[in-house]
């Protein structure tokens, strides 16, 4: 079905209707990922009343920058965008926008779901709270959220959560049709409940997860750990997650547009994947990280937190974990992926093709939205890294 036919009549009919059941699957995700609040209850992340951080423009044509893809074939940045269901891309060099494109009906003001780049946003708020002395990464989660006693999170620390080294019995299988990950979607409000008489809720469900293995030993990617961090933020700040993100990050950073985050039936945020932002504002987050936590003339995220994120990942836990085979020189720290390349690149990544790529050597930020047909594709992931690295090399001079 052509994307322009989705939700194009009033009311939509048949397969043109995007629903809570089909919104994450193609072709429905092409419309859904920029209309999430029309499908899932959501809480506004207010940009405030201050002037947005101004971004200068210095247009450059990046379309012909070439790289070798996973098949060994020569291709270009432009062809890559065309082949990866791109909804939008914004590239900043030295703080100025050099390329900004919108596709599939996306507009500059419209929030698009970040998926797991939401984790990176959540961790920045944690970092701000650490910088203010309100949190300690070595502190046990149960001391902050006593409700997790008896669960997988009872004996782990905040840093275990931030680095995905929690020993928890959960498999991140995005294509599974049953089991814990489908329960997770249901209690988050991302999928109709299989038992409408017992809809569940996210916070209660998190406390049912059980330990498996030791904490801190190995990298094990589990999205619900970040939802616990969302709970931590709410408990420590006595604010909703959306309010805390607005007050601590979004307003001080100089965001241009409001964002939002999906919430369950009791208002619990899907901090792991439900944040939705406008493309330029996501690029502003990347620019803030590139500039060591400074934005709008103020230190928004502590310099020490940015440095810790870039340089202090646990190499042994990474070597012991599930990411080392594909990226032996990589890592993961504070909800950011460390590429381990010659430019010291690091990135937030979300399923279906969401990226926030930071190249410190090239002074480069790439924010990319997409609605790819599959949640994960190793070949596309490899091509994305090669493409963005090629752009960085081309612009580093």
């Amino acid at each position: 079905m052509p994307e322009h036919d989705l939700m194009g009549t009033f009311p939509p009919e048949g397969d043109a209707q995007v629903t809570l059941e089909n919104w994450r699957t193609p072709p429905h995700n092409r419309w859904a990922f920029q209309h999430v609040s029309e499908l899932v209850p959501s809480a506004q992340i207010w940009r405030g009343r201050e002037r947005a951080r101004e971004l200068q423009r210095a247009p450059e044509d990046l379309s012909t920058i070439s790289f070798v893809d996973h098949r060994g074939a020569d291709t270009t940045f432009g062809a890559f965008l065309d082949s990866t269901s791109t909804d939008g891309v914004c590239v900043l060099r030295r703080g100025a926008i050099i390329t900004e494109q919108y596709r599939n009906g996306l507009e500059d003001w419209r929030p698009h779901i970040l998926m797991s780049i939401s984790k990176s946003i959540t961790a920045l708020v944690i970092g701000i709270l650490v910088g203010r002395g309100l949190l300690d990464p070595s502190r046990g989660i149960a001391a902050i959220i006593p409700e997790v006693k008896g669960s997988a999170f009872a004996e782990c620390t905040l840093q275990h959560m931030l680095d995905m080294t929690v020993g928890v019995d959960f498999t991140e299988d995005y294509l599974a049709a049953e089991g814990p990950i489908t329960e997770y979607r249901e209690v988050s409000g991302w999928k109709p409940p299989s038992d409408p008489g017992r809809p569940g809720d996210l916070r209660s469900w998190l406390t049912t997860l059980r330990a498996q293995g030791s904490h801190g030993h190995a990298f094990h990617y589990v999205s619900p750990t970040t939802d616990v961090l969302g709970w931590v933020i709410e408990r420590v700040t006595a604010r909703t997650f959306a309010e805390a993100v607005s007050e601590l990050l979004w307003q001080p950073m100089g965001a241009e547009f409001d964002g939002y985050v999906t919430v369950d039936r009791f208002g619990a945020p899907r901090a792991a994947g439900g944040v939705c932002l406008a493309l330029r504002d996501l690029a502003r987050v990347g620019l803030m990280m590139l500039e060591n936590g400074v934005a709008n003339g103020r230190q928004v995220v502590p310099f020490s937190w940015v440095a810790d994120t870039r340089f202090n990942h646990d190499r042994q836990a990474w070597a012991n974990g599930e990411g080392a085979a594909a990226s032996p020189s990589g890592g993961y720290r504070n909800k950011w992926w460390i590429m381990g390349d010659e430019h010291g690149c690091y990135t937030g990544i979300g399923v279906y093709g969401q990226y926030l790529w930071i190249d410190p050597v090239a002074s480069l930020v790439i924010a990319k939205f997409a609605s790819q047909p599959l949640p994960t594709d190793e070949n596309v992931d490899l091509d994305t890294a090669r493409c963005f690295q090629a752009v960085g090399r081309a612009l580093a001079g």
Side-chain angles (χ1 to χ4, degrees):
M1 174 184 295
E3 287 83 7
H4 64 265
D5 289 342
L6 291 169
M7 304 293 283
T9 60
F10 304 92
E13 298 178 355
D15 290 341
Q17 177 73 59
V18 180
T19 69
L20 194 59
E21 189 66 60
N22 67 21
W23 72 278
R24 290 172 292 100
T25 59
H28 303 92
N29 61 347
R30 298 283 279 171
W31 182 90
F33 285 2
Q34 49 185 290
H35 295 270
V36 176
S37 64
E38 297 169 49
L39 299 162
V40 185
S42 302
Q44 180 187 31
I45 299 172
W46 184 45
R47 64 161 299 274
R49 295 188 175 89
E50 295 188 34
R51 177 180 296 180
R53 180 179 187 180
E54 185 176 355
L55 298 175
Q56 301 297 322
R57 293 183 181 271
E60 293 188 38
D61 181 8
L62 308 181
S63 62
T64 59
I65 292 176
S66 64
F67 67 100
V68 178
D69 69 12
H70 70 276
R71 301 166 299 177
D74 290 329
T75 188
T76 65
F77 179 76
F80 166 78
L81 296 181
D82 292 340
S83 66
T84 54
S85 303
T86 301
D87 294 328
V89 64
C90 184
V91 182
L92 276 60
R93 183 191 185 199
R94 297 174 182 163
I97 297 173
I98 60 173
T99 293
E100 186 175 15
Q101 300 179 31
Y102 295 90
R103 305 180 180 202
N104 186 37
L106 184 64
E107 300 184 66
D108 63 353
W109 55 267
R110 189 186 297 280
H112 187 291
I113 194 164
L114 305 187
M115 293 299 183
S116 287
I117 304 178
S118 304
K119 297 178 174 66
S120 306
I121 300 295
T122 299
L124 293 181
V125 178
I126 292 287
I128 293 167
L129 294 172
V130 169
R132 295 185 179 190
L134 298 175
L135 283 174
D136 178 349
S138 66
R139 191 179 185 190
I141 294 295
I144 307 166
I145 310 290
E147 293 92 329
V148 303
K149 291 178 179 177
S151 76
F153 311 115
E155 304 298 330
C156 72
T157 67
L158 196 64
Q159 195 66 62
H160 293 143
M161 302 285 243
L162 288 161
D163 294 347
M164 293 288 191
T165 59
V166 178
V168 55
D169 185 9
F170 186 89
T171 301
E172 196 97 353
D173 181 358
Y174 300 109
L175 299 178
E178 58 183 14
I181 199 162
T182 61
E183 296 172 5
Y184 179 39
R185 293 180 184 131
E186 289 181 17
V187 299
S188 301
W190 281 33
K191 186 179 186 297
S194 52
D195 182 355
R198 302 177 62 187
D201 69 275
L202 180 57
R203 295 189 189 98
S204 296
W205 179 82
L206 289 169
T207 67
T208 70
L209 295 178
R210 294 293 172 254
Q212 184 179 70
S214 57
H215 302 313
H217 173 70
F219 173 77
H220 175 41
Y221 192 87
V222 173
S223 284
T225 62
T226 308
D227 297 303
V228 178
L229 291 182
W231 195 352
V232 167
I233 288 169
E234 293 190 325
R235 185 63 56 86
V236 169
T237 64
R239 296 283 192 275
T240 68
F241 177 83
E243 290 169 341
V245 174
S246 170
E247 293 171 13
L248 297 174
L249 178 65
W250 217 229
Q251 296 183 53
M253 186 193 74
E256 185 175 0
F257 303 105
D258 290 351
Y260 60 87
V261 61
T262 68
V263 295
D264 76 353
R265 67 193 183 99
F266 292 152
R270 181 75 179 266
V275 176
C276 301
L277 305 177
L279 181 63
R280 271 200 306 273
D281 281 335
L282 182 61
R284 284 182 172 92
V285 174
L287 180 58
M288 177 184 63
M289 293 298 287
L290 183 66
E291 297 181 344
N292 297 308
V294 174
N296 247 5
R298 66 188 78 175
Q299 190 79 46
V300 180
V301 177
F303 173 88
S304 59
W305 188 263
V306 179
D308 182 72
T309 299
R310 291 183 59 193
F311 302 119
N312 289 345
H313 71 273
D314 187 332
R315 288 168 173 77
Q316 188 59 57
W318 180 258
N320 294 339
E322 57 202 31
S327 180
S329 60
Y332 191 86
R333 183 70 167 180
N334 296 336
K335 306 296 182 184
W336 292 82
W337 298 86
I338 311 302
M339 300 308 297
D341 58 15
E342 71 275 15
H343 281 200
C345 296
Y346 60 107
T347 182
I349 302 176
V351 290
Y352 298 97
Q354 325 315 318
Y355 275 85
L356 179 57
W357 182 276
I358 301 166
D359 181 334
V361 170
S363 296
L364 178 72
V365 172
I366 304 176
K368 182 176 186 287
F369 288 151
S371 46
Q372 293 168 189
L374 292 173
T376 59
D377 185 317
E378 291 181 0
N379 291 330
V380 175
D381 293 344
L382 179 60
D383 287 349
T384 302
R386 289 182 176 184
C387 178
F388 293 173
Q389 286 166 336
V391 172
R393 287 191 293 270
L395 297 180

